[in-house]
Amino acid sequence: MLVPLGLAYIASVLENEGNDIEIIDMNAEKVTDEHLQRRVSDADVVGITGMITEYQEVLRITNIIKETNRHIKVVLGGPLATTTPQELLQISQADFVVIGEGERTIADLVSAIKQGDNFADIKGIGCKDGNQISITDRPEPIANLNIIPFPARHLLDMNRYVQNQFHSFSSKMEGFGEIKSTNLITSRGCPYSCTFCFRDMWGYKWRGRSPENIVEEMEFLYAKYGINGFFFNDDTFVLDRNRVFEFCNLLKERKLNVVWFCNGRVNLMTKELLEAMYEAGCKEIAYGIESGSQKMLNSLKKSITLEQVRNTVKWTKQAGISANGYFMIGLPGETKEDIRQTIGFAEELDLGFYGFSLLTPLPGTELYNAAVEKGLIQADMASLKDWAFNTNVNLTKDCSNEDLVAFKNEIFRKFTLKNFGKYYMFNPAFLKRATKVALSLQNINEAKDLARKTKGIIQSYWHKA
């Protein structure tokens, strides 16, 4: 379970402004509708964040809050609100949306709500005035991320989140002792142009926290919660090599005995950088490899080569770091031979962990717009309900839906069973995690979604022969 950093950052900013704040993590807490109503009944403002896959749940929670107290101002934020602000205000009972990076905007908005001010001068919001909806210009991104206070983790039950998340990758940290890990983020923005990636939240301009600021947060978490394992959720943690070198040196200077994981990019890694990262406690790096076909990588505008992948994976292993990789199939114009190349390339790399997925064009991406133009996706809010179950669109050149399912089952056999064993579904750790998921269900719709997903997993499992 990951700390909801977006909510925690917003909460921290608002708390610093003198507001009484409560965080309700619907993913971590078992909150019934009645319990939710009791907790929000006296609130002046309720903010809701959500991904595109949570569209229906965002609408449902908005309705519950308005039914509880119609005077509560409901503010929607996150990727869903950023992608479709106008449409969300039209179809939901929400009063406002915050578009993109929210810390500065939400502070201005809450202040204006409390004082009854005009909202027209607040950048980065959408609001209703009767039947009229207005969307203001987006503000400039926050240039200095060091000025943002640390996430308000004290408003969460951290016992829900502090765990050995390295187990998710079947990692073994021999000689290190008990690992208590959590997630944090050290940078925002990405300058690359991958067609499948959603960048509207943080933008194209990369901004990084200073090494001192990062290590200060790590030391705080170590002292307060005993956390000694860190998952950096940045899209491009390694973009500024000098920053990474400084960060690694500072960790060693402070003698902070920790392990950590980050996302890397194969075109940015060097042997020297990887060696420095290992000496500073880096145990795993995940690379977005995506495909074993150079033609497909070029079509995705990934800006990497297969040779860079081979070299970087080799260097990562030589440095003593576990190399993990993420791949996709079902790409635009992809052929069966391309998918075969991807499977063969993945086997050749012999990674510590494999993550495979069927391509899903997300609203707000170049890939999604192309699919809309071809008539493969409806560009309206009615179709968003399908995203609650990870809708996939077949954009390949010569693969039927049945072909893609067959490839998915083959990948499952070759990589999931290889990593976790033939009887992984009966592994105590897996069963414990599955039980937690089942107990966290909020309503019948979530139960139905889980049942559908479980059915798919079981079908894949029994097709392993």
Side-chain angles (χ1 to χ4, degrees):
M1 186 67 67
L2 299 179
V3 172
L5 291 175
L7 288 177
Y9 271 118
I10 294 296
S12 185
V13 168
L14 290 175
E15 196 172 48
N16 279 4
E17 295 285 322
N19 298 286
D20 293 326
I21 305 296
E22 179 180 356
I23 299 177
I24 303 175
D25 185 354
M26 301 290 286
N27 293 318
E29 301 181 51
K30 189 174 182 180
V31 182
T32 65
D33 292 352
E34 292 75 18
H35 188 194
L36 177 62
Q37 288 178 313
R38 287 196 297 271
R39 290 176 69 172
V40 304
S41 60
D42 294 329
D44 298 311
V45 180
V46 173
I48 305 171
T49 187
M51 306 285 285
I52 193 71
T53 53
E54 297 163 320
Y55 162 71
Q56 288 181 303
E57 186 67 2
V58 167
L59 295 187
R60 192 184 72 83
I61 293 173
T62 301
N63 290 338
I64 290 173
I65 292 167
K66 284 297 188 179
E67 290 168 6
T68 302
N69 182 348
R70 64 184 180 85
H71 297 294
I72 295 174
K73 299 298 183 184
V74 175
V75 182
L76 305 182
L80 175 60
T82 296
T83 307
T84 56
Q86 181 97 19
E87 295 87 344
L88 271 183
L89 287 173
Q90 287 173 343
I91 203 168
S92 76
Q93 296 190 63
D95 301 285
F96 303 93
V97 296
V98 169
I99 302 167
E101 195 169 51
E103 287 87 358
R104 189 163 50 200
T105 302
I106 194 66
D108 292 341
L109 177 58
V110 169
S111 176
I113 291 172
K114 289 164 62 175
Q115 298 174 23
D117 287 349
N118 188 295
F119 306 108
D121 294 332
I122 301 175
K123 290 188 175 182
I125 67 166
C127 61
K128 292 177 182 176
D129 183 7
N131 293 326
Q132 297 295 315
I133 293 174
S134 59
I135 308 292
T136 65
D137 294 336
R138 291 182 66 159
E140 286 295 315
I142 300 172
N144 181 8
L145 298 183
N146 290 349
I147 67 173
I148 304 175
F150 294 157
R153 293 181 178 89
H154 61 281
L155 298 178
L156 297 163
D157 178 2
M158 285 297 291
N159 291 323
R160 300 178 186 272
Y161 307 96
V162 177
Q163 55 193 288
N164 185 359
Q165 291 166 326
F166 288 84
H167 275 165
S168 299
F169 298 97
S170 65
S171 301
K172 296 178 177 62
M173 305 294 170
E174 295 178 0
F176 189 79
E178 181 185 6
I179 295 177
K180 299 171 69 176
S181 60
T182 192
N183 57 307
L184 46 74
I185 190 166
T186 77
S187 65
R188 296 178 179 181
C190 178
Y192 292 96
S193 301
C194 304
T195 62
F196 56 88
C197 192
F198 178 79
R199 290 180 299 278
D200 282 359
M201 278 297 297
W202 307 130
Y204 287 84
K205 185 176 181 180
W206 184 89
R207 298 153 288 144
R209 295 165 57 190
S210 69
E212 292 79 8
N213 186 258
I214 302 165
V215 172
E216 183 182 342
E217 182 177 6
M218 294 170 72
E219 289 178 326
F220 168 77
L221 293 173
Y222 183 86
K224 186 172 180 65
Y225 303 108
I227 293 171
N228 58 358
F230 298 90
F231 269 62
F232 296 120
N233 293 147
D234 310 37
D235 292 330
T236 45
F237 178 83
V238 297
L239 188 73
D240 183 344
R241 287 198 197 108
N242 289 334
R243 186 187 80 129
V244 180
F245 276 118
E246 291 175 19
F247 168 71
C248 293
N249 289 334
L250 191 57
L251 279 181
K252 290 189 289 184
E253 287 175 15
R254 300 281 181 89
K255 300 187 184 327
L256 196 57
N257 188 26
V258 298
V259 293
W260 48 281
F261 164 102
C262 71
N263 294 312
R265 214 175 195 280
V266 297
N267 60 311
L268 298 175
M269 313 307 292
T270 65
K271 289 182 180 180
E272 295 76 18
L273 181 63
L274 287 161
E275 289 167 359
M277 292 169 70
Y278 173 76
E279 291 174 3
C282 180
K283 298 299 183 183
E284 298 186 28
I285 302 177
Y287 298 108
I289 299 168
E290 320 310 351
S291 177
S293 163
Q294 189 62 55
K295 176 185 69 176
M296 288 293 98
L297 290 177
N298 294 343
S299 73
L300 294 172
K301 300 182 181 179
K302 183 69 181 177
S303 299
I304 63 172
T305 67
L306 296 179
E307 192 61 24
Q308 287 173 329
V309 175
R310 289 189 178 96
N311 287 334
T312 294
V313 168
K314 179 179 68 176
W315 297 337
T316 302
K317 293 177 184 178
Q318 289 174 346
I321 301 171
S322 176
N324 304 333
Y326 293 104
F327 302 83
M328 298 186 295
I329 63 171
L331 309 179
E334 191 172 42
T335 64
K336 294 175 185 177
E337 177 57 28
D338 292 323
I339 296 177
R340 285 270 169 235
Q341 288 180 20
T342 295
I343 294 173
F345 188 59
E347 288 182 298
E348 172 195 331
L349 293 174
D350 190 26
L351 300 169
F353 176 87
Y354 293 87
F356 273 88
S357 62
L358 283 172
L359 177 69
T360 301
L362 296 173
T365 66
E366 181 179 334
L367 194 61
Y368 177 86
N369 295 334
V372 170
E373 288 178 7
K374 294 178 181 178
L376 298 171
I377 296 176
Q378 287 181 290
D380 57 46
M381 290 301 290
S383 67
L384 281 179
K385 66 179 183 295
D386 295 330
W387 293 93
F389 190 61
N390 299 323
T391 297
N392 299 110
V393 180
N394 189 342
L395 303 174
T396 64
K397 186 173 183 179
D398 64 359
C399 295
S400 66
N401 290 342
E402 291 73 20
D403 290 332
L404 289 177
V405 170
F407 276 122
K408 195 171 83 167
N409 289 335
E410 178 182 345
I411 288 165
F412 178 85
R413 292 194 302 271
K414 286 180 180 291
F415 301 104
T416 303
L417 292 184
K418 174 187 173 183
N419 271 21
F420 298 105
K422 182 177 180 181
Y423 300 106
Y424 83 102
M425 291 184 70
F426 307 105
N427 183 292
F430 175 85
L431 292 173
K432 180 179 179 181
R433 191 181 307 168
T435 301
K436 283 185 177 180
V437 171
L439 291 175
S440 69
L441 295 175
Q442 309 294 326
N443 53 64
I444 189 63
N445 290 329
E446 289 188 6
K448 287 180 179 178
D449 278 351
L450 179 61
R452 292 168 66 188
K453 292 176 183 177
T454 303
K455 180 181 177 182
I457 292 173
I458 293 173
Q459 285 175 337
S460 294
Y461 182 78
W462 290 114
H463 277 86
K464 64 184 179 293

